Amino acid sequence: MSGLRGLLLRRVAVEGPLSVAAFMETALGHPEFGYYATRDPFGGGGDFTTAPEISQIFGELIGAWCGDVWNRMGRPGRFVLAEFGPGRGTLMADLLRALHVLPGFGQAASLHLVETSPHLRGIQAGALTPYAPVWHDSIDTLPEGPLIAIGNEFLDALPIRQFVMTAQGWRERRIGIGAEGGLAFVLGEGRPSRERIAPADSILEECPAAAGIAARLGRRVAAAGGAVLLIDYGYFPSGFGDTFQAVRRHRPAGVLEEPGEADLTAHVDFAAVAEAASGAGAKVWGPVPQGEFLARLGLGLRMATLLRKADSNQQENILSGCRRLIDPAEMGTLFKVLAIADPALPEPAGFSSGAS
Ligand code: SAH
């Protein structure tokens, strides 16, 4: 039995059935046994692969987006450049390398990383040594001032709550102890923050952490300037359905099977994120599909440049990487891009065919 399973079973015995959020938070973030606390989950040898690990073009184009936002902000002489959940630091390294060509950007930026995993902080430090990043446990301790921030596959790791429509109305889907003594789903007390009419057995998900972060970021960019780019898999508009999922070694796994050993995520409710940010005074752009966004930022041109300098082996990698990022059957449509921006800022690049 994994250390975490025993710990969760004891916790249920004491506290009663846990919310999906409490389970997710512990399985991912427990300081000793949590999934992110103990490993580097990325790449072929790990559990899953993310866009920046697939192609350097991803980070370079996000870099171009950040440089463009900085220009549209009037090139502030000091600003906070932040990344939420930077993984291996690959996206930020590609972004900053691409922005060497933009005079003044590097000098004006102070780099801040929001990351809870000590293990991944170590890997990020190795990737980003020349830029002297400062780490934070949450967005709340970022220094004041104008902000340009990015987060790729950050929101999907935040804990969700699930509710089920029963004959008695909404009940919370919780994790208790099943007939065989293992962890099992049960129904318990708890109602969604906004009750919606739904057919029997519908599952409704809420991510209070994502909504809270979107509201705080919205308030901040509206007051101090800047924009935040969030990229993730998710849905728009809001809907019903169970999107809680576990992935281990690039395959789906049971969500309750081996807590701490599999990555747990949920699809992002982009409408809820947008509503929280605009309710806090920010202007929200998108969400738009990742494939369209990257194409508008110039993926084709950048790909052509790289292909010219590559040998045939590298050419194949470049082409297959770009295909994965933009193909609607792969990451092109399921992944979406949303910006939370200062309302005074003109439309950022990538959100409509007019502005690129
Ligand atoms: N952006 C990276 C990694 C995505 S995986 C990439 O695209 O490759 C999710 C990342 O978010 C990991 O770095 C993980 O440690 C971090 N993370 C998860 N929950 C977090 C939280 N609550 N606060 C800050 N970072 C978190």
Side-chain angles (χ1 to χ4, degrees):
M1 183 189 292
S2 78
L4 206 53
R5 175 180 294 281
L7 193 138
L8 285 160
L9 283 166
R10 283 195 295 282
R11 198 167 147 197
V12 174
V14 175
E15 291 175 30
L18 303 173
S19 67
V20 172
F23 174 81
M24 215 173 150
E25 205 165 4
T26 308
L28 292 179
H30 186 277
E32 195 179 342
F33 305 117
Y35 179 74
Y36 280 116
T38 51
R39 73 199 71 218
D40 171 6
F42 308 100
D47 294 311
F48 60 93
T49 306
T50 56
E53 304 297 335
I54 291 172
S55 170
Q56 70 182 75
I57 296 179
F58 186 78
E60 292 168 349
L61 294 178
I62 304 299
W65 187 89
C66 292
D68 185 63
V69 164
W70 183 65
N71 276 330
R72 289 176 202 229
M73 287 164 73
R75 300 179 166 236
R78 292 197 70 78
F79 72 97
V80 174
L81 177 64
E83 182 171 0
F84 312 141
R88 278 182 177 165
T90 310
L91 169 47
M92 188 50 81
D94 290 339
L95 177 159
L96 287 165
R97 193 188 58 249
L99 282 170
H100 276 152
V101 298
L102 182 60
F105 183 94
Q107 292 71 20
S110 64
L111 182 59
H112 295 265
L113 306 175
V114 179
E115 174 61 66
T116 40
S117 159
H119 183 75
L120 290 177
R121 282 186 182 196
I123 297 175
Q124 292 155 17
L128 297 165
T129 317
Y131 305 105
V134 178
W135 281 271
H136 300 262
D137 287 326
S138 89
I139 62 162
D140 299 325
T141 54
L142 292 173
E144 287 177 8
L147 172 74
I148 300 178
I150 54 168
N152 184 59
E153 293 209 39
F154 167 67
L155 295 176
D156 67 54
L158 300 178
I160 57 152
R161 293 176 69 185
Q162 288 189 321
F163 305 93
V164 183
M165 179 50 101
T166 70
Q168 291 80 43
W170 289 109
R171 312 271 322 266
E172 184 155 12
R173 194 168 183 228
R174 288 175 174 273
I175 291 141
I177 298 175
E180 272 124 57
L183 295 167
F185 282 110
V186 297
L187 287 180
E189 290 313 309
R191 286 178 176 282
S193 66
R194 223 184 331 156
E195 306 223 350
R196 281 172 255 182
I197 295 168
D201 302 328
S202 297
I203 292 187
L204 174 65
E205 296 182 340
E206 285 186 351
C207 186
I213 286 172
R216 297 207 292 286
L217 290 172
R219 206 169 301 126
R220 179 184 168 132
V221 292
V228 179
L229 193 70
L230 297 167
I231 306 165
D232 229 305
Y233 44 94
Y235 50 97
F236 183 88
S238 297
F240 298 110
D242 176 12
T243 76
F244 185 33
Q245 63 186 37
V247 168
R248 192 175 184 199
R249 309 244 174 276
H250 300 269
R251 284 163 197 268
V255 284
L256 305 184
E257 238 163 57
E258 290 190 77
E261 298 297 320
D263 185 36
L264 297 177
T265 62
H267 287 203
V268 173
D269 179 350
F270 278 99
V273 169
E275 198 181 303
S278 53
K283 168 84 184 155
V284 172
W285 300 94
V288 294
Q290 171 173 295
E292 281 175 29
F293 181 80
L294 295 177
R296 286 179 189 143
L297 289 179
L299 179 127
L301 260 181
R302 182 66 190 134
M303 186 175 79
T305 308
L306 285 181
L307 284 174
R308 270 200 298 278
K309 291 188 257 173
D311 63 31
S312 62
N313 212 356
Q314 292 167 325
Q315 286 181 340
E316 208 153 296
N317 283 336
I318 294 166
L319 286 169
S320 70
C322 288
R323 200 174 310 121
R324 274 181 82 178
L325 295 181
I326 62 169
D327 191 332
E330 302 222 25
M331 300 169 81
T333 305
L334 176 61
F335 279 74
K336 296 177 179 56
V337 185
L338 176 138
I340 298 174
D342 174 2
L345 207 64
E347 180 174 350
F351 288 95
S352 71
S353 40
S356 62

